[in-house]
Amino acid sequence: RFVWVVLISVVFLLGIVWMDKIEEESTMQVLNDFTAYHDGVADPEILAMSESEYLEVLNNRLDTTNSISLSVVMGLFVISIGGFLSNYFSMKKYENTLKIYVEQKTQHIVELQQNFVVSMLTMVESRDNSTGGHIKRTSDVVRILVEEMMREGSFGIDDDFCSCVTTAAPMHDIGKIAVDDAILRKPGRFTPEEYEIMKTHSAEGARILAQIVENVDNEQFNQIAINMAHYHHERYDGKG
């Protein structure tokens, strides 16, 4: 029985190491491919895509890798639990250990996706002449605001809500990916036509974020992130 326990543990830990390596390599490859696309050195069929189309391709690739990694870990989880059915108390202890591992890895995947999004937003920000440091300033202001709201204690919000808002804040301008450089980098005022195009970035951001967070198992965060992208230019009183 001890040999069986050791064998299952070794197999599972190797799976965790393999999962970390696959996730890291996949994320780095996606970032490199996205950089190559912006630098114009990607394959012609890739360069023929719009930014939003290529973003969907990259996100699908990340989602596929994450799903495979989680499937492997969960498969090892099931195998390990089966090995401990002969001893109930040992099984429960090992199940709890595996649950912690899976939760950590799931959180790690979410953080990788968030880092990927923030990296893309940094690229978008580098294209926009008018918003240098905007992502960081917005994140800092939102963090300070929700901390004050929590201290006030009269808004009926909890730690999870505040965490979701703070995490989603840097993503609010992701729709600018779909705005043409000629408009995004234009000095001075927009023409009425350019202004109308610029205003589409909020709805486009909501659409893009809905695809990015589709497989994130946190409905509250998903809705907050999408709403923040979609409505961050709305008046507080809802009048436009």
Side-chain angles (χ1 to χ4, degrees), residues 3-208:
V3 174
W4 176 250
V5 171
V6 171
L7 178 61
I8 291 297
S9 300
V10 169
V11 171
F12 182 77
L13 290 176
L14 288 175
I16 295 295
V17 172
W18 173 83
M19 181 178 172
D20 282 335
K21 183 175 179 59
I22 292 298
E23 290 172 357
E24 180 179 357
E25 291 177 354
S26 177
T27 301
M28 291 304 300
Q29 185 60 51
V30 165
L31 291 176
N32 289 338
D33 290 348
F34 195 72
T35 301
Y37 174 83
H38 270 281
D39 292 340
V41 296
D43 292 337
E45 59 269 21
I46 292 178
L47 294 176
M49 298 181 184
S50 67
E51 286 189 353
S52 58
E53 288 174 340
Y54 191 43
L55 177 63
E56 289 184 29
V57 171
L58 294 178
N59 269 314
N60 287 337
R61 189 194 303 173
L62 265 184
D63 289 340
T64 299
T65 301
N66 293 340
S67 296
I68 292 173
S69 299
L70 274 178
S71 295
V72 171
V73 172
M74 292 303 296
L76 293 172
F77 176 87
V78 172
I79 293 173
S80 300
I81 291 299
F84 286 95
L85 288 176
S86 60
N87 189 320
Y88 177 79
F89 294 104
S90 295
M91 180 193 69
K92 294 299 293 182
K93 179 180 179 180
Y94 203 68
E95 179 183 1
N96 290 335
T97 301
L98 292 175
K99 182 178 179 181
I100 291 173
Y101 272 123
V102 171
E103 288 174 350
Q104 289 175 340
K105 293 301 107 180
T106 301
Q107 180 61 33
H108 182 54
I109 290 172
V110 172
E111 290 172 357
L112 284 174
Q113 289 179 317
Q114 292 172 352
N115 290 338
F116 174 56
V117 172
V118 171
S119 297
M120 289 189 297
L121 290 170
T122 302
M123 294 179 188
V124 173
E125 188 177 57
S126 70
R127 296 167 56 216
D128 189 346
N129 291 333
S130 64
T131 57
H134 177 66
I135 292 175
K136 184 179 186 305
R137 289 197 303 272
T138 302
S139 299
D140 290 342
V141 169
V142 170
R143 176 181 52 79
I144 293 170
L145 177 62
V146 296
E147 287 176 356
E148 287 299 320
M149 292 173 68
M150 283 292 291
R151 272 196 286 269
E152 176 68 20
S154 60
F155 293 93
I157 58 178
D158 56 20
D159 289 339
D160 288 340
F161 176 85
C162 293
S163 176
C164 289
V165 171
T166 304
T167 303
M171 306 178 189
H172 71 281
D173 266 343
I174 194 171
K176 287 184 178 180
I177 288 176
V179 178
D180 190 89
D181 278 355
I183 297 176
L184 200 61
R185 299 180 67 86
K186 178 183 177 179
R189 297 178 65 86
F190 296 131
T191 65
E193 293 78 11
E194 290 170 339
Y195 184 50
E196 290 302 315
I197 293 173
M198 189 64 178
K199 287 195 294 185
T200 64
H201 82 273
S202 57
E204 190 65 18
R207 184 188 68 81
I208 292 171

Side-chain angles (χ1 to χ4, degrees), residues 215-227:
N215 294 319
V216 176
D217 190 20
N218 187 333
E219 184 59 32
Q220 184 181 38
F221 170 76
N222 296 355
Q223 198 58 56
I224 287 173
I226 293 170
N227 286 344

